[in-house]
């Protein structure tokens, strides 16, 4: 009899959202699918962690990290994960009791990478406009709209194999890095280019507060778009996407700055 796949839930946190964390832990404890581990990657030491985790019947481990950086923390979590499937929770997201069971059932039909659908049940808003109404494999361009907390991926896809090199989060992107956003999009595109496509389940939510639209893009996030596009695409395509993005977002005051950031960006392979 084939054993059930194990899920590794990687949570990179500063440990300063205790109320939200307890909500997450409660929804993990209530999962109908119970074969999973929870790895906390702490970017600063907290004395309260052992007391908090003792209150829950969960398989948990805490990994201490020196320095800061979301992508760096997730990569450290991957190095310690023992699951067949990995996902990247935030300490302020939460789940339905059947979420992990749905993911495993979908994976068992041959899916390699799955994206759920971020939804704020309090504001009754999705994390993005709902252009995709039915389950489907996402195109490369559609990967730009995914969030890291929605991703579940088979660990074997991340390892070096005949399909290509090992995949990790690009540590030049993400909170605490040179470019503060886009790390999950690069992660999914690297999987896509290795032959692993993301299957979107719009019917399965992962809950998270959705910010008001006016506050979603900061100046730093906007300036990260050029390097992000260049990391994901070839240089001519990146410049076309930058132009389209800034026309759509009406960010003409930052246009020349982002063109410069796009031109000067070099990936590790180009340096």
């Amino acid at each position: 009899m084939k054993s059930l796949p194990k899920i590794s839930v990687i949570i990179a946190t500063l440990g300063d959202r205790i109320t939200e964390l307890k909500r997450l832990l409660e929804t993990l404890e209530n999962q109908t699918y119970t074969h999973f581990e929870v790895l906390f990657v702490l970017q600063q030491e907290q004395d309260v962690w052992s007391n908090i985790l003792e209150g829950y019947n969960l398989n948990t481990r805490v990994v201490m990290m020196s320095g800061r950086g979301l992508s760096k923390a997730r990569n450290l979590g991957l190095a310690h994960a023992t699951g067949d499937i990995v996902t990247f929770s935030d300490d302020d997201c939460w789940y339905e009791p059947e979420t992990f069971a749905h993911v495993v059932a979908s994976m068992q039909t041959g899916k390699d990478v799955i994206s759920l659908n971020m939804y704020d049940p309090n504001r009754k808003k999705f994390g993005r406009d709902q252009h995709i109404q039915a389950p489907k494999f996402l195109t490369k361009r559609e990967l730009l709209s995914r969030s890291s907390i929605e991703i579940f991926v088979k660990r074997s896809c991340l390892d070096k194999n005949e399909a290509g090199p090992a995949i990790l989060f690009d540590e030049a992107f993400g909170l605490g890095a040179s470019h503060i956003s886009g790390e999950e999009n690069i992660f999914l595109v690297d999987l896509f280019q290795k032959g692993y496509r993301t299957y979107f389940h719009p019917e399965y939510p992962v809950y998270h507060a959705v910010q008001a639209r006016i506050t979603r893009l900061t100046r730093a996030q906007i300036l990260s778009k050029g390097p992000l596009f260049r990391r994901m695409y070839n240089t001519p395509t990146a410049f076309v996407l930058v132009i389209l993005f800034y026309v759509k977002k009406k960010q003409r005051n930052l246009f020349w700055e982002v063109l410069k950031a796009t031109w000067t960006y070099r990936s590790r392979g180009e340096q």
Side-chain angles (χ1 to χ4, degrees):
M1 182 176 176
K2 189 174 182 180
S3 61
L4 293 173
K6 179 181 180 181
I7 299 175
S8 291
V9 183
I10 298 173
I11 305 171
T13 179
L14 295 175
D16 54 0
R17 293 190 288 209
I18 302 302
T19 300
E20 293 87 347
L21 174 64
K22 289 181 177 179
R23 177 181 59 191
L24 168 61
L25 291 172
E26 288 170 4
T27 65
L28 290 174
E29 193 173 45
N30 290 333
Q31 288 299 303
T32 59
Y33 187 89
T34 59
H35 191 34
F36 64 90
E37 64 177 358
V38 185
L39 284 82
F40 291 92
V41 183
L42 297 185
Q43 299 179 58
Q44 61 185 18
E45 189 168 357
Q46 296 284 331
D47 294 333
V48 298
W49 277 91
S50 58
N51 292 333
I52 292 173
L53 297 181
E54 282 179 0
Y56 298 90
N57 184 27
L58 293 167
N59 176 16
T60 61
R61 281 187 288 149
V62 175
V63 180
M64 297 303 304
M65 172 179 146
S66 60
R68 296 284 182 92
L70 182 57
S71 290
K72 181 180 177 182
R74 286 175 175 158
N75 287 340
L76 182 59
L78 282 171
H80 287 81
T82 62
D84 308 290
I85 300 168
V86 294
T87 190
F88 309 95
S89 297
D90 283 348
D91 51 16
D92 59 346
C93 73
W94 68 104
Y95 302 101
E96 286 282 351
E98 299 286 340
T99 298
F100 288 5
H102 287 314
V103 168
V104 170
S106 184
M107 290 284 191
Q108 290 177 330
T109 66
K111 310 298 190 304
D112 295 309
V113 190
I114 287 173
S115 173
L116 305 185
N117 205 8
M118 186 167 70
Y119 182 71
D120 185 338
N122 298 316
R123 300 186 67 218
K124 295 181 171 55
K125 288 184 177 293
F126 289 95
R128 66 201 59 80
D129 295 335
Q130 294 301 289
H131 299 301
I132 308 172
Q133 301 294 331
K136 59 165 283 190
F137 284 104
L138 298 177
T139 66
K140 185 176 180 180
R141 183 173 180 180
E142 288 168 339
L143 298 178
L144 283 168
S145 67
R146 296 300 94 201
S147 167
S148 57
I149 63 172
E150 300 166 325
I151 300 169
F152 288 77
V153 57
K154 287 181 180 176
R155 180 57 188 265
S156 59
C157 300
L158 303 178
D159 297 332
K160 181 179 179 180
N161 55 30
E162 63 276 4
I167 292 176
L168 293 170
F169 283 91
D170 189 327
E171 294 182 7
F173 293 82
L175 290 175
S178 303
H179 312 294
I180 69 167
S181 64
E183 74 285 351
E184 62 270 82
N185 311 120
I186 293 169
F187 184 77
L188 291 175
V189 165
D190 285 350
L191 282 161
F192 184 93
Q193 292 175 336
K194 199 175 176 181
Y196 303 119
R197 297 184 64 188
T198 298
Y199 193 83
F200 178 45
H201 278 291
E203 72 275 33
Y204 300 149
V206 53
Y207 296 130
H208 191 281
V210 174
Q211 294 178 327
R213 187 175 296 273
I214 193 171
T215 64
R216 283 190 192 172
L217 288 176
T218 65
R219 182 177 184 276
Q221 288 173 323
I222 291 170
L223 291 177
S224 293
K225 293 300 180 182
L228 170 64
F229 293 148
R230 187 161 178 184
R231 172 64 172 77
M232 294 172 62
Y233 298 92
N234 58 46
T235 300
T237 301
F239 278 101
V240 170
L241 290 173
V242 164
I243 293 169
L244 292 174
F245 177 83
Y246 285 90
V247 169
K248 179 180 179 180
K249 299 297 183 181
K250 299 178 181 180
Q251 295 289 340
R252 286 177 293 180
N253 57 320
L254 295 176
F255 183 69
W256 294 111
E257 287 186 67
V258 79
L259 282 184
K260 180 179 179 181
T262 306
W263 178 254
T264 57
Y265 168 75
R266 295 291 184 275
S267 67
R268 290 177 181 176
E270 296 175 304
Q271 292 174 355

